[in-house]
Amino acid sequence: MPVKLLGTVALLIIVTIFCGFNLDDEFRCDINLLFHTFRDVPVFLTVLISFFAGVLLMMPFSFGNAKFRAAQKAADAKARQERETARSQAKADAQAKKDADRAERARKAQEKQAKKHPEAAEKAQVTAANEVPVIKPEAAAAK
């Protein structure tokens, strides 16, 4: 961005200078700066100096803007990543809750079935989904 800006400024200065050389002595003005008055100043020079003063005053804003944009883009990327992490964590938590609820319903259904048919309950052992079956030492020794 600053390279294009500087090129545009240089081009406008060159065009203004060439326009000024083509003006006659008729196009002159007086410039009053409160403490001094400049007499018979060519109009193109007034325009050129005004333009150059405006460029000098705006230059810090155009050069400092790139660093601000880069910092803002980095902050946006970090915030986006945090949102994605939070969203994926929320999805994982919701899925874990669904799985736990499903396992709890299955366990309750098995318990209900075991109460209705006690003989079948001995064959099918009721365990929670997250419990690991424990092998008793007597059973391991018998095998």
Side-chain angles (χ1 to χ4, degrees), residues 33-93:
L33 297 177
L34 297 177
F35 57 88
H36 190 306
T37 301
F38 296 100
R39 305 254 178 225
D40 294 328
V41 177
V43 172
F44 83 92
L45 195 57
T46 305
V47 172
L48 181 66
I49 290 172
S50 300
F51 176 73
F52 188 67
V55 167
L56 285 179
L57 290 174
M58 291 308 295
M59 203 62 77
F61 298 110
S62 64
F63 285 124
N65 204 7
K67 291 179 183 177
F68 175 73
R69 281 189 200 152
Q72 189 175 18
K73 190 180 278 188
D76 288 345
K78 185 177 179 182
R80 188 180 316 113
Q81 184 179 12
E82 288 175 358
R83 281 193 308 268
E84 290 295 324
T85 303
R87 187 178 297 142
S88 64
Q89 183 65 32
K91 284 182 181 180
D93 291 346

Side-chain angles (χ1 to χ4, degrees), residues 16 25 65 98 100 117 119 137:
T16 306
D25 288 337
N65 204 7
K98 283 181 183 178
H117 307 288
E119 63 278 351

